[in-house]
Amino acid sequence: MQISRTASRVTAAVAVAGATVLAVSVPAFAHVSVQPEGIAAKGGYATVDFKVPNERDNASTTKLEVNLPADHPLASVMPQPVPGWSVKVTRSKIDKPLTVHGEKIGEAVTKVTWTADGKGIEPGYFQKFPLSLGALPEDADQLVFKAIQTYSNKEVVRWIEVPQEGQDEPENPAPTLALSAATDDHHGTAAAAGDDAKSGADDDAADAHQEAAADSDGGTDTTARVLGIAGIVIGVAGVAYGVLAGRRHTA
């Protein structure tokens, strides 16, 4: 009877542990996301990739619509060609005109739509859709792009829920691009090159300092060794002289 109870407890514990492992190991569902190629600095330009996974086993993704943020319109939006997909850029009037290089612009790109020419994104695959964006706003920490994913079976998934800080991720989060601190160069390249050059110069100076220190240490070591050997020779000579003098005195 005691053995039976013990076996039952062990079985129950194993079942709970197994359920816990399964709960922890179940992966979160993938969703449409956006990531920069390099950095996306405030006030600069960046190339970003919209990553679209296919979450269905019986349908392909055949269309993606990305809506650009209306509260932070971007003056320059250029898609990169994606083999097997056609792209449409939609421009609309904006409430507050943008000033670019001293000129006011009353329109901006508000939506970019990619449509598959063939099968699209098949089950088990994903696709990246690059966009060049700029100038990124200087008064925002992130940009939210609401996206709509359409499957070959006419199913539509709306990735439009805005993630809130301190809260769990929503079921259908909108792709969100985090913006880094502004750089001196709004194009985000010259400043980086300058930093690299400065870093290289600093490294060269450090190497030269280390070499000089090594030479100085080497010279000091050599001098010390010479003096040490000379002292030993003088000491030996002194001892020999003392021995000889002692012998002569005895004779």
Side-chain angles (χ1 to χ4, degrees):
M1 186 68 177
Q2 184 67 25
I3 295 176
S4 178
R5 289 180 179 177
T6 302
S8 298
R9 291 174 181 175
V10 171
T11 302
V14 170
V16 171
T20 302
V21 171
L22 287 174
V24 172
S25 61
V26 172
F29 288 108
H31 51 78
V32 176
S33 60
V34 60
Q35 290 293 332
E37 295 182 4
I39 62 172
K42 298 178 182 180
Y45 289 75
T47 297
V48 302
D49 294 326
F50 288 89
K51 182 180 179 181
V52 183
N54 192 334
E55 296 182 313
R56 302 295 179 263
D57 295 330
N58 58 353
S60 298
T61 296
T62 56
K63 187 178 181 181
L64 173 68
E65 300 175 54
V66 173
N67 293 277
L68 279 75
D71 54 342
H72 292 290
L74 301 173
S76 176
V77 178
M78 293 186 293
Q80 178 178 320
V82 178
W85 295 77
S86 57
V87 60
K88 178 183 178 181
V89 177
T90 302
R91 303 182 66 89
S92 304
K93 291 184 178 181
I94 54 179
D95 296 333
K96 296 182 179 180
L98 298 173
T99 302
V100 181
H101 301 301
E103 297 183 4
K104 288 188 176 182
I105 300 176
E107 289 187 347
V109 174
T110 54
K111 182 170 65 175
V112 180
T113 305
W114 289 270
T115 304
D117 297 328
K119 294 181 179 180
I121 309 172
E122 298 185 77
Y125 292 87
F126 74 90
Q127 178 67 55
K128 290 183 179 180
F129 298 89
L131 277 183
S132 174
L133 306 175
L136 300 174
E138 299 181 359
D139 58 349
D141 294 325
Q142 64 180 23
L143 291 178
V144 178
F145 301 84
K146 296 183 178 181
I148 300 176
Q149 182 179 11
T150 302
Y151 286 90
S152 56
N153 60 2
K154 307 303 180 183
E155 179 186 2
V156 176
V157 181
R158 301 178 183 276
W159 305 99
I160 60 174
E161 299 179 59
V162 181
Q164 301 296 328
E165 186 176 357
Q167 298 183 10
D168 293 338
E169 184 178 74
E171 184 177 355
N172 293 318
T176 303
L177 176 67
L179 303 180
S180 61
T183 61
D184 293 336
D185 177 30
H186 284 183
H187 291 280
T189 54
D195 291 341
D196 291 342
K198 182 178 182 298
S199 176
D202 291 342
D203 291 342
D204 292 341
D207 292 341
H209 178 72
Q210 291 177 357
E211 290 176 1
D215 292 341
S216 176
D217 292 342
T220 302
D221 290 343
T222 301
T223 302
R225 289 173 183 174
V226 171
L227 292 177
I229 293 172
I232 293 173
V233 171
I234 293 172
V236 171
V239 172
Y241 177 78
V243 172
L244 292 174
R247 288 178 179 179
R248 289 176 181 176
H249 180 74
T250 302

